[in-house]
Amino acid sequence: MSPSTTTANSKTTSKGYEFGERGSHHISLGGEHPFQYPKFTNKQDERKFILEHAAAAFRIFARRGFSEGEAGHCSIRDPIDHDTFWINPLGLHFALITASDLVHVDESGKILPDGNQAPINAAGFAIHSSLHKARPDVNAACHTHSIYGRAYSTFGKPLDMINQDSCVFYNNQAVYKNFGGVALEKDEGKAIAEAAGDARAVILQNHGLLTMGKTIDEAAYLFTLMENTCHAQLLADAAESKEKPKQIIPDEEAEYSAYVTNDPDTLYASFQPDYMLEERLSKSEFKFQT
């Protein structure tokens, strides 16, 4: 691939794809995109906003069947104290989680007094504390034991670029191959963070999926998309034959598709229809009640 720079802010590939500005506004025709991350002047308001969106993410995951016993956790970095994060309590079904149920924890594992005083998943803490420390570029991470992610993880291979949605993960996925059992030790969490590199999506071999983002919305949407992409890949792999070989999207087209679909603004916006549906279905039960 031999892209040539055309301006200071754009480039054109050898096939004529122009790489210009990114963002959800590019998909909107006839008006401004309805979903943009709000600008906050008060950090307490931002904290309330992200905790409600995190609680909604758990409810959405529950509706999609991602809950499995006490396994699974999502975390979001605190906007006031960036060395701390919020995570779900141990043993509460995703479908029941509200914003007030989330637990505020520091990097040493201390449960802080301004959140729910409940225990958390030790493996979840090991993974998320290491990720938040290693990746200052991301604020949120999601990991559950979803069925298609679990199934595809057994191969220990990255997803193929077999459709447009797969391209979101082009040069944006990693595979962690050293499954060491339940990740109760912080060293395992650190190894996962190192394997992730700068990717925002990780296939944990023999385990499942892990996604990250600047917002909980981005991380959650990436997770649902990766789960669906694993499902599509498993179906395609099962149907492939000599007469019907898989057609892999070439690198240049995959790179262009990734460029226009996997930026944080677009992924944040992509989560909002599910968020609005959850507001309607649960009558906003997941939000702080005043």
Side-chain angles (χ1 to χ4, degrees):
M1 184 160 44
S2 54
S4 58
T5 302
T6 56
T7 71
N9 297 314
S10 67
K11 62 181 180 179
T12 303
T13 71
S14 60
K15 290 189 178 180
Y17 295 122
E18 183 177 338
F19 286 46
E21 291 184 66
R22 308 175 79 186
S24 57
H25 58 281
H26 286 293
I27 202 172
S28 178
L29 179 65
E32 187 176 5
H33 196 288
F35 303 130
Q36 299 182 41
Y37 191 81
K39 295 180 180 179
F40 293 95
T41 57
N42 184 310
K43 287 296 182 182
Q44 291 287 351
D45 290 340
E46 184 173 12
R47 176 188 278 176
K48 179 176 181 288
F49 177 87
I50 67 171
L51 293 182
E52 290 182 343
H53 279 241
F58 285 110
R59 298 290 186 105
I60 291 164
F61 282 9
R63 293 187 192 280
R64 291 175 178 262
F66 298 169
S67 184
E68 186 66 57
E70 294 183 328
H73 21 80
C74 299
S75 66
I76 179 71
R77 193 189 303 274
D78 186 67
I80 298 172
D81 184 351
H82 288 194
D83 292 329
T84 68
F85 60 91
W86 298 77
I87 194 168
N88 50 305
L90 182 66
L92 183 60
H93 195 283
F94 289 176
L96 300 175
I97 289 178
T98 69
S100 59
D101 289 319
L102 298 178
V103 180
H104 194 187
V105 60
D106 70 12
E107 58 186 356
S108 70
K110 178 183 178 183
I111 306 299
L112 301 175
D114 54 350
N116 183 12
Q117 299 299 290
I120 61 175
N121 187 305
F125 174 75
I127 293 171
H128 290 269
S129 60
S130 297
L131 287 173
H132 284 288
K133 189 171 184 178
R135 294 289 299 273
D137 60 309
V138 300
N139 294 320
C142 297
H143 166 65
T144 81
H145 292 187
S146 55
I147 188 65
Y148 297 113
R150 272 187 281 179
Y152 188 75
S153 76
T154 61
F155 300 108
K157 294 182 178 296
L159 291 160
D160 293 331
M161 300 300 104
I162 57 174
N163 56 55
Q164 178 175 300
D165 292 325
S166 302
C167 292
V168 170
F169 303 103
Y170 181 80
N171 283 345
N172 189 29
Q173 59 176 325
V175 178
Y176 175 66
K177 292 181 174 290
N178 299 321
F179 177 68
V182 180
L184 296 176
E185 300 299 326
K186 204 164 184 179
D187 285 349
E188 181 79 357
K190 185 178 179 182
I192 292 171
E194 290 174 351
D198 60 0
R200 286 173 288 153
V202 186
I203 294 170
L204 307 175
Q205 184 176 299
N206 305 115
H207 190 170
L209 307 178
L210 171 70
T211 58
M212 295 170 274
K214 287 191 175 180
T215 62
I216 188 65
D217 309 71
E218 177 187 359
Y221 180 74
L222 272 176
F223 192 95
T224 60
L225 182 63
M226 197 175 199
E227 170 73 357
N228 289 338
T229 304
C230 287
H231 188 183
Q233 171 113 32
L234 289 166
L235 291 172
D237 288 347
E240 186 177 28
S241 67
K242 288 184 179 180
E243 293 75 27
K244 295 188 301 180
K246 288 187 301 188
Q247 302 300 308
I248 304 300
I249 296 171
D251 284 343
E252 190 162 38
E253 285 80 357
E255 181 186 16
Y256 175 73
S257 297
Y259 182 84
V260 297
T261 57
N262 78 0
D263 63 280
D265 288 343
T266 299
L267 294 172
Y268 168 84
S270 296
F271 181 73
Q272 302 317 304
D274 272 336
Y275 180 84
M276 293 174 66
L277 177 61
E278 186 57 40
E279 282 184 309
R280 176 72 63 86
L281 292 175
S282 69
K283 299 180 180 179
S284 297
E285 182 187 47
F286 61 88
K287 296 184 177 182
F288 287 108
Q289 303 301 308
T290 57

